[in-house]
């Protein structure tokens, strides 16, 4: 045979496992069409895209759209909102499921643990529309239960969604309420796979539960934490359109509007295609940079990484 | 157990009970309001137990055909979409878990790139537009056929299965497809149920895709219809449901719509929970 050895081996591998290769075709096509094609379409950020002229007919404008972005004070304000809300979300919301999972894991009564798990997972099943509805009802200045409790202790009603000073806390807080219980699943799964013999050995050595948590439990879930963290910072500027869109109104948008809601409004509604694609691209680039920095740091310190 | 440990157990139990209360309180509050009269709601009497029991809020919803239609569309998207999700994800995740699949590394990186570098909204919109999917239900199902994140979770479940299982199936003369179908999938119920739940919830709850890609109001899924009713600031939408009905408050109707749209998932949830609890506890059963 003329072909070199590795290539020949490769061919027989294809033939031998053709079923394995065959069933991956739809999945790979999916990623090409719905992920890579739009990525290529993103070149319109460097054009003045005209829907009638298409990609080939629209004039190239270089970095004009990006320049335009950074000269708009409105854009800069929304960027600041997005960064701050994303930062609060990582600092406050990210550790909650880890702590919750560690506490749940310490529960000795199995039934109680299961009931609690069922309850803390529950809010995850509600859509943002529903959560918006619930929270707007609870925080209502007239009939909301929060303001009734404030009134009972002599504090005047606060219109929480009617001014911009509470919107960020509401966004981060409802996120914790919705997803921190659900977030424990992945950590609990990691905790469940810890070898119980390790704990036994530690007990023999006289380690108490706190000591066991520090030396066995936390190191055991550290890889999971690292990976979750890397995924999280990659989506740093993707705070979630659905979450913000239900809470933002004209009274609180000054501090609540984020890039995603801005892109929807200016891009899809006002049809400024190239300009908002440039914003989207900028968002992805920041995410990519963060994930690369995070991955490098994490590999250097803990040996764990996404790639 | 020493004193310190017992103190911690007490603290932990109380603290977690409190967390549980915070999680369910808003839901019970909504449930209570949905069964309360408008007078009781407006007077702020309703906490977690319905005041002045009534079904009138639900009657208003049941009489509204647009809510029924939206409900049906959401059911179609959720059932059909989840089936597509599971088939597509499993058929890519399984080969990627096998060392024999020599393109493993390449494909994994190919997928990982899409995870960390996502295309902006508008190019996505244009792809869907060019595929003539705009304003059809396909736009809500096909573009989200595989979640890379779920794919990786499923893959790592397959990786963790003992390789001897596949070897022994091969020795018994089973083909690759047969091995996947009769050996791997039956063992994968926990992960399939969990992923199915992830996907189903995201279909049921999503409204942004419909907001972007659907124009006709007759194709609105439940969440988008809900948004009009629940979040309209002037309550005009909720009030439009109330024409000719006395003694009904928009707030009561809003809460009842919320309950109706949560109901299907709450009903399915306990059955699937068995699986993901089991999936999670596999490692600790040995103790």
């Amino acid at each position: 045979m003329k072909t070199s050895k590795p290539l020949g081996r490769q061919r027989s591998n294809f033939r031998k496992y053709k079923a394995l290769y065959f069933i991956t075709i739809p999945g790979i096509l999916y990623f090409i069409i719905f992920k890579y094609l739009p990525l290529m379409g993103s070149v319109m950020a460097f054009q003045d895209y005209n829907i009638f002229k298409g990609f080939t007919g629209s004039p190239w404008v270089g970095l004009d759209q990006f320049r335009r972005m950074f000269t708009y004070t409105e854009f800069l304000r929304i960027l600041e909102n997005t960064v701050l809300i994303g930062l609060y979300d990582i600092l406050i919301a990210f550790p909650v499921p880890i702590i919750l999972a560690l506490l749940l894991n310490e529960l000795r009564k199995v039934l109680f643990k299961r009931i609690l798990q069922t309850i803390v997972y529950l809010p995850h099943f509600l859509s943002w529309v529903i959560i918006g509805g619930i929270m707007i009802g609870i925080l209502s200045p007239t009939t909301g239960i929060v303001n009734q409790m404030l009134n009972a202790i002599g504090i005047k009603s606060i219109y929480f969604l009617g001014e911009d000073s509470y919107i960020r806390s509401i966004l981060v807080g409802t996120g914790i309420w919705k997803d921190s219980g659900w977030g424990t699943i992945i950590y609990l799964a990691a905790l469940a796979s810890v070898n119980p013999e390790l704990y036994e050995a530690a007990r023999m050595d006289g380690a108490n539960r706190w000591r066991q948590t520090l030396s066995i439990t936390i190191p055991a879930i550290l890889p999971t934490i690292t990976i979750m963290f890397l995924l999280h910072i990659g989506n740093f500027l993707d705070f979630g359109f659905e979450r913000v869109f239900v809470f933002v109104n004209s009274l609180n948008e000054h501090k609540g509007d984020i890039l995603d809601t801005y892109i929807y409004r200016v891009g899809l509604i006002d049809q400024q295609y190239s300009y908002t694609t440039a914003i989207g691209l900028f968002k992805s680039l920041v995410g990519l940079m963060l994930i690369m920095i995070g991955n490098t740091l994490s590999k250097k310190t803990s040996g764990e990484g996404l790639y | 157990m020493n004193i310190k440990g017992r103190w911690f157990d007490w603290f932990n139990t109380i603290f977690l009970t409190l967390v549980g209360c915070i999680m369910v309180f808003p839901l019970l509050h909504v449930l209570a309001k949905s069964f309360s009269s408008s007078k009781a709601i407006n007077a702020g009497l309703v906490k977690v137990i319905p005041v002045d029991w009534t079904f009138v809020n639900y009657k208003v919803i049941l009489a509204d055909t647009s809510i029924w239609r939206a409900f049906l569309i959401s059911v179609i998207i959720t059932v059909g979409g989840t089936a597509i999700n599971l088939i597509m994800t499993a058929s890519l995740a399984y080969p990627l878990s096998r060392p024999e699949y020599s393109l493993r590394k390449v494909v994994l990186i190919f997928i990982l790139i899409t995870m960390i570098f996502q295309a902006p909204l508008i190019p996505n919109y244009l792809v869907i537009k060019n595929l003539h999917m705009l304003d059809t239900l396909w736009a809500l199902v096909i573009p989200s056929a595989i979640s890379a994140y779920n794919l990786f979770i499923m893959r790592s479940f397959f990786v963790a299965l003992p390789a001897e299982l596949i070897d022994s199936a091969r020795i018994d003369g089973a083909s690759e497809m047969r091995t996947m179908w009769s050996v791997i999938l039956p063992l994968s119920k926990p992960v399939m149920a969990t992923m199915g739940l992830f996907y189903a919830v995201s279909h049921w709850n999503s409204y942004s895709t419909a907001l972007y890609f659907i124009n006709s109001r007759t194709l609105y899924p439940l969440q988008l219809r809900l948004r009009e009713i629940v979040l309209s600031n002037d309550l005009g939408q909720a009030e439009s449901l109330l024409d000719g009905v006395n003694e009904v408050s928009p707030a009561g109707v809003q809460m009842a719509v919320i309950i109706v749209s949560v109901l299907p998932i709450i009903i399915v949830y306990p059955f699937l929970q068995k699986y993901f609890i089991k999936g999670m506890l596999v490692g600790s059963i040995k103790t």
Side-chain angles (χ1 to χ4, degrees), chain B residues 28-230:
Chain B
L28 292 177
H29 185 63
V30 169
L31 190 66
K33 269 187 176 173
S34 75
F35 284 111
S36 297
S37 73
S38 62
K39 254 190 232 143
I41 294 171
N42 292 334
L45 297 172
V46 188
K47 305 270 180 325
V48 289
I49 297 161
V51 178
D52 207 1
W53 268 90
T54 172
F55 289 99
V56 71
N57 298 317
Y58 289 92
K59 275 190 198 133
V60 172
I61 296 169
L62 292 179
D64 186 274
T65 49
S66 77
I67 293 176
W68 278 108
R69 192 178 47 226
F71 192 94
L72 188 69
I73 284 175
S74 280
V75 170
I76 293 170
I77 297 165
T78 304
V79 173
T82 306
I84 293 173
N85 288 142
L86 286 180
I87 294 167
M88 294 280 285
T89 311
S91 62
L92 188 54
Y94 174 66
L96 290 178
S97 74
R98 294 281 303 274
E100 292 88 348
Y101 187 82
S102 61
L103 303 174
R104 202 171 66 249
K105 263 236 157 89
V106 182
V107 177
L108 284 174
I109 290 168
F110 169 83
I111 296 166
L112 192 67
I113 288 171
T114 68
M115 233 171 144
I116 55 184
F117 202 79
Q118 282 153 3
L121 173 63
I122 300 299
N124 273 305
Y125 174 84
L126 291 176
V127 165
I128 290 164
K129 186 181 150 95
N130 289 330
L131 291 170
H132 300 288
M133 281 188 185
L134 276 191
D135 220 15
T136 69
L137 294 186
W138 294 114
L140 307 183
V141 172
I142 301 293
S144 56
I146 301 177
S147 137
Y149 187 76
N150 289 353
L151 180 91
F152 282 124
I153 295 177
M154 208 188 265
R155 187 190 95 95
S156 48
F157 181 91
F158 290 141
V159 168
L161 292 175
E164 292 81 12
L165 277 172
I166 296 163
D167 289 339
S168 66
R170 191 179 304 142
I171 291 164
D172 290 344
S175 67
E176 285 296 335
M177 292 309 268
R178 181 152 176 93
T179 309
M180 182 177 167
W181 189 256
S182 320
V183 180
I184 303 300
L185 284 184
L187 286 170
S188 310
K189 269 194 214 153
V191 78
M192 294 302 265
T194 309
M195 290 300 112
L197 191 67
F198 276 121
Y199 279 128
V201 167
S202 77
H203 283 301
W204 186 260
N205 283 345
S206 128
Y207 75 91
S208 56
T209 42
L211 189 72
Y212 302 148
F213 306 131
I214 302 286
N215 284 319
S216 338
R217 290 179 51 89
T218 47
L219 290 179
Y220 270 17
L222 185 61
Q223 301 297 337
L224 210 50
R225 181 76 187 96
L226 208 63
R227 191 177 159 265
E228 295 180 324
I229 299 171
V230 177

Side-chain angles (χ1 to χ4, degrees), chain A residues 164-210:
Chain A
D164 55 23
S165 43
Y166 300 102
I167 182 67
R168 289 172 187 162
S169 321
I170 291 171
L171 287 171
V172 175
T174 49
I176 293 175
W177 183 74
K178 183 183 198 276
D179 284 323
S180 56
W182 190 247
T184 61
I185 284 190
I186 196 140
Y187 298 111
L188 283 171
L191 287 170
S193 62
V194 180
N195 187 351
E197 280 166 24
L198 286 175
Y199 290 106
E200 242 156 74
R203 250 191 311 263
M204 299 272 227
D205 292 343
N208 62 18
R209 265 157 80 183
W210 177 237

Side-chain angles (χ1 to χ4, degrees), chain A residues 11 34 68 94 99 106 133 141 167 175 220 256 288:
Chain A
R11 256 189 213 157
F34 290 102
R68 196 175 142 202
F94 181 78
I99 296 164
E106 291 296 328
I167 182 67
L288 182 69

